[in-house]
Amino acid sequence: MSQLIAGAGTADVQLGADCFPTAEPFSGKHDNHVRALYLECGEALLIVTIEITSIMSEAMASFLGAAKAASGLDEEHIWICATHTFGGPHIWDNDAPRLQTDDHRAKNAAMRRSFTAGVTEAVTQAMASRQAARLGYGSADCTINVSRDVETAEGWWLGHNEDELSDRTVAVLKFTDLADHPIALFFNYGMQSSVTKFAFDENGMCQMTGDVAGAACLYLEEEFGVPAVFCVGACGDQAPVFEAKSTVVGKDGVQRTVTLPQSTAFLLMEQLGRRLGEAATRAANRAVCAVPEGELKLEAVTANCPAQTIRPIQELHPTHDYDYREGGTVPLTVVGAGIGDVVLVGALPEMTSRIALCLKEASPAKHTILLNMVSNIKNTEKKYLADSAAYDCFKYEAMNSFYARGSADLFLGSALALIVRLQE
């Protein structure tokens, strides 16, 4: 049996004046990082997490190329993951309509280069720090997430609803050396990091940040002295309990908007990040690390799901009657990694919390961790994967999904079959 090898790295992304202001209203950086976790036990897996909202095709090619060059691994052994922070601009493809001037295109390209350099640095550190390792799993509850789905007089829309379903489990993988000294933490929680979304200063500009998940990583890195790598869980319908811009449903069922100043938003972000970091610390302290049984296995499967055409986001609104435009199929790739009694299941779309809970309940593995926003060479899919109940109620996640009703069941079937193979 092969020995587990682990290494990790973190890079503080250097964003110069050539990156700002962006085509979206960002004028500078508060905090932004790239982190990497390398695992090898027979097969090898490199997980790279980047504190951006999502990863478009040209950025994906750049990040993946940097990770390949720094690690020597093939694409099939690399997962590139956005942490899904809303505290930053998109890194657009060069021909994106949002880039309307040469200045916008130049700054967008500079932003892409800066994050690519961060990938190189984090992966290089991870490769240099490789050593024999032990692995332990721990979990804890954290109550900083809340469902975004709120019923209003006009229909379901986005807000904060503590009566709806949320998966509040923080899952942690703790890696130590053979003398029980920490090497890295890997943690997972189902929530968009969006406290600072629309947190404007007096000039109408924002500061880039990893938001809540980024703050939690920094907290853990200070506590444990090693990289803390975050991958977002089922986050499609989950928001932080506090956001800079939020909606409140009054007694008459009508929504109104509440906004907070930027300074308050960053304070709340740091406090919620500390709460998430404290929960991850409890989970890490519960982890009993040992040499895992068996070797690391990687699997991937693609399901052809029923497709639907979405309307422009500006046309979506609360409604009691929505005409889903179904037709054709769309691929959904599920990637998996299993070692010992732990299985990681990853896919690109943002999923509703109910999907994560169903997967974990049905999984034959002792510990199953669902990751969203996971891309590799096989992933070219679209956003949002909603459960059937979301379609029944015309919720935002269902209306704004390229996957039609029934796709969540196909995902669950594919993921469970993949887990079975990983456990063989």
Side-chain angles (χ1 to χ4, degrees), residues 323-384:
D323 179 25
Y324 296 108
R325 300 172 178 175
E326 298 184 14
T329 61
V330 60
L332 175 54
T333 299
V334 186
V335 295
I339 184 168
D341 56 9
V342 175
V343 170
L344 304 177
V345 176
L348 185 58
E350 306 158 61
M351 302 183 190
T352 53
S353 196
R354 181 170 280 105
I355 296 173
L357 292 168
C358 288
L359 178 65
K360 288 190 280 189
E361 182 179 358
S363 174
K366 185 175 182 181
H367 305 300
T368 300
I369 302 175
L370 176 61
L371 316 178
N372 286 183
M373 308 301 292
V374 178
S375 300
N376 72 357
I377 193 65
K378 299 178 184 299
N379 290 71
T380 58
E381 292 85 11
K382 306 295 184 180
K383 60 184 179 180
Y384 290 114

Side-chain angles (χ1 to χ4, degrees), residues 137-266:
Y137 171 92
S139 65
D141 289 338
C142 185
T143 58
I144 68 166
N145 64 345
V146 65
S147 173
R148 300 197 303 162
D149 295 329
V150 177
E151 189 171 16
T152 74
E154 291 80 25
W156 287 85
W157 198 238
L158 300 177
H160 294 82
N161 187 352
E162 294 176 271
D163 290 334
E164 283 288 292
L165 191 66
S166 293
D167 180 2
R168 296 200 160 98
T169 300
V170 181
V172 173
L173 299 182
K174 182 179 179 181
F175 297 90
T176 67
D177 64 19
L178 300 185
D180 207 33
H181 301 122
I183 296 173
L185 298 177
F186 175 91
F187 70 113
N188 168 263
Y189 188 65
M191 183 189 75
Q192 297 178 350
S193 286
S194 55
V195 173
T196 61
K197 183 181 181 182
F198 301 121
F200 298 110
D201 62 18
E202 62 275 9
N203 297 314
M205 302 298 286
C206 301
Q207 294 290 304
M208 289 180 63
T209 173
D211 209 273
V212 174
C217 290
L218 294 174
Y219 176 91
L220 290 167
E221 288 167 349
E222 184 173 350
E223 283 290 305
F224 289 87
V226 297
V229 180
F230 173 81
C231 275
V232 68
C235 59
D237 62 345
Q238 300 297 310
V241 292
F242 300 116
E243 295 180 286
K245 182 179 180 181
S246 59
T247 54
V248 177
V249 180
K251 64 180 184 297
D252 54 1
V254 176
Q255 285 187 309
R256 66 180 187 274
T257 300
V258 177
T259 58
L260 300 172
Q262 187 179 85
S263 59
T264 302
F266 274 99

Side-chain angles (χ1 to χ4, degrees), residues 13-87:
V13 179
Q14 302 303 304
L15 300 172
D18 58 340
C19 295
F20 301 105
T22 65
E24 296 164 88
F26 287 87
S27 60
K29 166 192 164 183
H30 183 276
D31 62 281
N32 271 105
H33 294 79
V34 174
R35 295 176 172 90
L37 175 66
Y38 175 88
L39 302 175
E40 181 183 337
C41 189
E43 291 205 69
L45 173 65
L46 176 66
I47 301 175
V48 181
T49 67
I50 305 171
E51 289 180 346
I52 54 178
T53 303
S54 59
I55 304 175
M56 299 183 187
S57 59
E58 291 176 8
M60 177 61 186
S62 183
F63 300 158
L64 186 58
K68 286 176 59 180
S71 67
L73 296 177
D74 295 333
E75 290 103 334
E76 289 80 6
H77 296 267
I78 301 173
W79 296 356
I80 305 289
C81 310
T83 65
H84 206 36
T85 173
F86 283 77

